[in-house]
Amino acid sequence: DTLLCEPCAGLISKQARFKCPFCDTTTDGGRPCVVHSDSALTRVLSASSYRDPILRKALHAFKYDAAVTLGARLGNILAQSALRFRTLLPETAIVVPMPLSPLKNRLRPFNQSLAFAHEVGAALDFPVNRALARRFTFWDILVPSHAHLEHTDHARWFSLERTFTSAPDAALQNADIILIDDVLTSGANLEMADRALKTAGARKVTGLVLARA
């Protein structure tokens, strides 16, 4: 892909330190720290940092400039990280992408997390299941989609409460889940999605994201 050539993709930094999904504390394999031990998430692993200029520009072009051909290249970066983290992932699992809000789904012709999920699923030989849905909230109108990294933690948790839904699915019963998202900010998205998946019958949820803010 000329928008992100292979040599430039190879320069993207790899996440070298495992951290709590909700703060900067170093933890064992990306598990929640003691302060956030009430989280239902098993762990969250990230391929790189949102501070990486190459990755940040490529992800922005993919999401907001409709450079859809970048999806496979960025998804491959996440898939390669999944293979690198293989011993920290479940032996068998279902790959579930983070859903778009109804408004974003109408404005954007694709779901970036779904594109990444297909690459991860193929690399690990795990099925992909679009088990999650996202309700419409007034927050989707009040806050521009590209400004999500500027939200306060409190605002994000408030806006996401009861946002995600997952219908009962026999495939999810007692299943381990690898939940795919593009950027980890406060951890609120993954935590709320985890709760919805557990309500639908999932056993454990591991987050896997392309970049950590």
Side-chain angles (χ1 to χ4, degrees), residues 8-23:
C8 285
L11 294 175
I12 293 174
S13 62
K14 294 180 175 63
Q15 196 71 26
R17 184 163 65 96
F18 294 117
K19 301 178 184 179
C20 169
F22 309 103
C23 68

Side-chain angles (χ1 to χ4, degrees), residues 64-80:
Y64 305 119
D65 298 334
V68 294
T69 56
L70 281 171
R73 179 59 60 86
L74 293 172
N76 181 257
I77 291 172
L78 187 57
Q80 292 304 309

